[in-house]
Amino acid sequence: MADLVPQLKKTLPAIVQDAGAAAEERVIEFFTAEIRNPNTREAYARAVRRFFRWGNKRQLHLSDIEPVHVAAYVEEDDRAPATIKQNLAALRRLFDHLVTGQVLEANPAEPVRSPKLNTDGGKTPALTTEEARELLDSIVADRQDLPQLRDRAIIGVMTYTFARVSAVTGLDVGDYFQAGHRWKIRLHEKGGQRRTVPVHHKAKEYLDAYIDEAGIQEEREAPLFRSLRGRTGRLTGNRLQPDNVLHMVKRRAEDAGFDPSQVSCHTFRATGITTYLENDGDLETAQHIAGHASANTTRIYDHRGDHVEQEEIERVRI
């Protein structure tokens, strides 16, 4: 961490340097003391540098930046809505830190509304493959203790099985089992329905790491995902509840640099289904894995239409 401070000083945007020593120190403090996760730090640094380059081209000083400037920046940004939201979240947090440090009087990013993440495909936002990988990797970037391994396993199961959070929290240790050479998960869905799905190799990796660290392999009738005991980081005997998972998901999303208001447990269901269909998966099979009664319901989680490659747009040769 000590080596990071000189590095940050060398890369501070011109707008920050021009604002004086107090602004420089507060920005460095933000990226060292406030943002501890290296992946989050890198993502936030990219977002901040990009915005300040934009402001520098318009000859803005740090104290000159107002909501209208941030709004104009967002309006001109032609990247994916999820990326814009992530960048805006980074700016909000940095400016908040500058306000509490009395460098700025008000947060110019606070009033600016994020772009809508969803389209006609439904109200459940989905992450891209790269964003989902970034989030999962960020959870264990600093350390791989039991809390980190548990949270990664929960998000991994939701993503790779398309499961509802209630089904994931309802899992017992014995619901993750070996059948022949394969591993499967038995999900208890709403309405008393049960469905068994094969375990993706990445989900198996996450589950095995968590179960081994927790030492619960033989507790077949006990809850798989449990709450943690205070600061010890060890498991209680209590089953984790969906509300607890939602709070965890938003905290992990924010730590990874995403706008937590745009990430929920259902995000991973949508992400898994969309990625499956992007890789030539069959809609009816996705319906079966997700436990939907109708393929129309599965289509709500299909966000393939959100992402159009630049090469496709260039086919409009006028």
Side-chain angles (χ1 to χ4, degrees):
M1 182 63 73
D3 296 337
L4 182 61
V5 174
Q7 179 184 345
L8 285 171
K9 284 186 176 180
K10 292 179 181 179
T11 58
L12 283 174
I15 287 181
V16 176
Q17 295 180 23
D18 292 344
E24 290 185 8
E25 292 175 6
R26 194 65 178 170
V27 170
I28 291 172
E29 182 184 272
F30 174 75
F31 282 105
T32 53
E34 183 78 7
I35 307 298
R36 303 291 297 175
N37 185 292
N39 287 337
T40 305
R41 186 183 299 126
E42 183 179 348
Y44 275 29
R46 287 196 303 268
V48 168
R49 283 196 298 266
R50 192 176 192 276
F51 173 74
F52 282 139
R53 282 198 301 268
W54 179 91
N56 193 52
K57 290 179 181 179
R58 288 152 182 80
Q59 299 182 332
L60 293 175
H61 297 288
L62 185 62
S63 59
D64 294 334
I65 299 174
E66 297 180 354
V68 65
H69 297 121
V70 181
Y73 169 74
V74 170
E75 185 69 25
E76 294 175 19
D77 198 336
D78 59 359
R79 293 173 298 169
T83 302
I84 299 173
K85 285 177 177 291
Q86 177 182 339
N87 280 219
L88 190 54
L91 294 177
R92 286 193 184 113
R93 286 192 63 180
L94 173 63
F95 284 132
D96 265 343
H97 197 70
L98 293 175
V99 170
T100 57
Q102 299 182 339
V103 174
L104 294 177
E105 293 184 0
N107 184 339
E110 185 61 36
V112 180
R113 297 184 62 181
S114 301
K116 290 184 178 180
L117 190 62
N118 57 291
T119 64
D120 293 340
K123 294 184 178 180
T124 303
L127 301 177
T128 64
T129 302
E130 293 76 16
E131 290 167 342
R133 171 57 49 210
E134 179 183 345
L135 175 56
L136 285 164
D137 288 346
S138 73
I139 296 174
V140 295
D142 290 331
R143 53 199 301 178
Q144 297 194 24
D145 293 339
L146 186 57
Q148 287 77 19
L149 295 174
R150 183 202 67 174
D151 294 353
R152 183 180 64 169
I154 291 171
I155 293 175
V157 170
M158 288 193 294
T159 303
Y160 288 111
T161 67
F162 314 164
R164 300 175 179 87
V165 62
S166 58
V168 174
T169 55
L171 288 168
D172 290 336
V173 176
D175 289 321
Y176 172 54
F177 61 94
Q178 188 171 10
H181 295 295
R182 299 180 179 181
W183 284 82
K184 297 187 175 183
I185 284 183
R186 184 186 303 109
L187 295 163
H188 304 256
E189 295 283 10
K190 60 183 183 180
Q193 296 182 349
R194 295 187 180 186
R195 60 186 178 93
T196 300
V197 297
V199 179
H200 189 282
H201 72 277
K202 294 298 294 185
K204 182 179 184 302
E205 174 188 326
Y206 300 158
L207 282 165
D208 289 347
Y210 160 64
I211 291 172
D212 288 347
E213 181 67 23
I216 57 175
Q217 295 90 334
E218 304 305 320
E219 302 177 28
R220 308 299 291 172
E221 296 183 2
L224 176 58
F225 295 119
R226 312 175 197 177
S227 59
L228 298 167
R229 183 175 287 110
R231 297 181 179 180
T232 66
R234 307 312 299 174
L235 296 179
T236 69
N238 300 324
R239 187 181 302 277
L240 204 61
Q241 298 302 309
D243 285 349
N244 303 137
V245 175
L246 177 60
H247 291 313
M248 177 273 289
V249 161
K250 289 188 175 296
R251 175 167 51 84
R252 294 298 186 187
E254 184 172 17
D255 287 345
F258 295 91
D259 182 351
S261 69
Q262 299 301 316
V263 180
S264 68
C265 298
H266 253 44
T267 296
F268 304 103
R269 186 167 164 89
T271 299
I273 291 173
T274 300
T275 304
Y276 172 80
L277 294 172
E278 283 177 341
N279 288 279
D280 299 323
D282 180 75
L283 180 63
E284 284 70 26
T285 303
Q287 172 192 345
H288 173 72
I289 298 172
H292 289 146
S294 167
N296 290 331
T297 305
T298 310
R299 287 191 183 93
I300 294 175
Y301 296 87
D302 179 8
H303 287 257
R304 286 175 293 175
D306 291 2
H307 310 293
V308 180
E309 297 297 332
Q310 181 68 33
E311 289 78 4
E312 297 303 313
I313 297 297
E314 296 301 331
R315 293 180 187 276
V316 185
R317 297 185 177 95
I318 297 176

